[in-house]
């Protein structure tokens, strides 16, 4: 059975801290790994990763994939209160467009 | 990025009635759309895959007669919750991707359904 595990489930930090969110997966026929940010409504797309070792970066957020060890990390530097959200990791498999989601990491950034 | 809309954003209905939720891809065509359900403080649960011009594929445990899906065009899929009960109250989200081979999916803003 395809599985995506995120850790930690919950994290509380202070503004300015750097955080690393983890996502490990066990799927057959891996296609891609995606990170989403969910605040009060539906998730918004952050990154899609398909190749190992290539960092994707957007402002203070960055992510990298390790297809040998089957995990990805999402880094957020100089966190702000607006980064408070649930971060979801999802894996897509070859042959269909379905995504398998992890349970998410709830990040709280305190002022 | 690609834009997906949902309507309505919030609906309250009485037990026993049916509710239709629309999902539209605004700037791309989507042969496949996905319907998810999310309970409070939980991750997204895939309910079904909506295929344009053919029957939807339901995940195990999801009642196809209760959650009717129609994907009549390349930009519109609808989910109808039939004979709604309070336990159907949830946040329903659709997603779609341009299907260009990279399998990015974009989510609609979601519909909060409350059944009284």
């Amino acid at each position: 059975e395809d599985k995506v595990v995120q850790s930690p489930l919950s994290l509380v930090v202070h503004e300015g801290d750097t955080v690393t969110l983890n996502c490990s997966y066990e799927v057959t026929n891996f296609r891609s790994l995606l990170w989403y940010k969910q605040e009060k409504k539906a998730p918004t797309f952050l990154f899609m990763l398909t190749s190992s070792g290539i960092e994707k970066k957007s402002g203070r957020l960055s992510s990298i994939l390790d297809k040998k060890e089957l995990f990805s990390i999402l880094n957020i530097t100089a966190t702000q209160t607006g980064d408070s959200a649930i971060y979801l990791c999802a894996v897509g498999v070859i042959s269909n467009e379905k995504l398998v989601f992890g349970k998410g990491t709830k990040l709280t950034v305190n002022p | 990025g690609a834009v997906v809309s949902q309507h309505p954003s919030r609906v309250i209905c009485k037990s026993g009635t049916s509710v239709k939720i629309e999902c539209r891809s605004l700037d791309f065509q989507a042969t496949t759309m996905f319907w998810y359900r999310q309970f409070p403080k939980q991750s997204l649960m895939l309910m079904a895959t909506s295929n344009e011009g053919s029957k939807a594929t339901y995940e195990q445990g999801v009642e196809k007669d209760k959650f009717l899906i129609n994907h009549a065009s390349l930009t519109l899929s609808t989910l109808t919750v039939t004979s709604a009960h309070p336990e159907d109250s949830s946040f329903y989200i659709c997603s779609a991707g341009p299907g260009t081979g990279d399998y990015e999916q974009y989510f609609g803003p979601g519909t909060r359904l409350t059944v009284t």
Side-chain angles (χ1 to χ4, degrees), chain A residues 31-32 34 36 38 40-45 48 50 86 88 93-99 101-104, chain B residues 9 31-32 34 36 38 42-44 46 49 59 91 93 97 99 101-110 112:
Chain A
R31 168 85 193 186
S32 58
L34 299 94
Y36 291 89
Q38 186 174 24
K40 290 185 179 175
K41 290 203 169 181
T44 54
F45 174 78
M48 186 178 75
T50 56
I86 295 173
L88 292 167
V93 298
I94 293 173
S95 80
N96 62 53
E97 294 180 59
K98 284 188 192 180
L99 294 178
F101 280 88
K103 292 188 186 299
Chain B
S9 59
T31 54
T32 304
F34 299 90
Y36 296 85
Q38 187 174 36
Q42 294 192 29
S43 187
L44 299 173
L46 179 65
T49 303
E59 295 300 300
F91 192 50
I93 308 174
D102 52 13
Y103 295 142
E104 282 184 33
Q105 280 191 36
Y106 296 90
F107 287 86
R112 172 72 60 192

Side-chain angles (χ1 to χ4, degrees), chain A residues 37-55:
Chain A
K37 177 183 181 182
Q38 186 174 24
E39 296 172 269
K40 290 185 179 175
K41 290 203 169 181
T44 54
F45 174 78
L46 294 176
F47 298 112
M48 186 178 75
L49 303 154
T50 56
S51 302
S52 270
I54 299 174
E55 185 183 55

Side-chain angles (χ1 to χ4, degrees), chain B residues 3 7 9 17 19 32 35 37 40 42 44 51 55 60 65 69 73 75 99 101 105 112 114-115:
Chain B
V3 179
H7 177 80
S9 59
T17 60
V19 173
T32 304
W35 286 97
R37 184 173 178 177
Q42 294 192 29
L44 299 173
N51 305 298
K55 290 183 180 179
Q60 196 171 7
D65 294 330
I69 292 173
S73 78
T75 58
Q105 280 191 36
R112 172 72 60 192
T114 304
V115 184

Side-chain angles (χ1 to χ4, degrees), chain B residues 13-34:
Chain B
C13 71
K14 291 187 177 178
S15 200
T17 60
S18 295
V19 173
K20 182 187 282 189
I21 303 169
E22 291 186 350
C23 178
R24 292 182 188 273
S25 57
L26 297 186
D27 51 1
F28 65 96
Q29 293 184 330
T31 54
T32 304
M33 292 183 174
F34 299 90

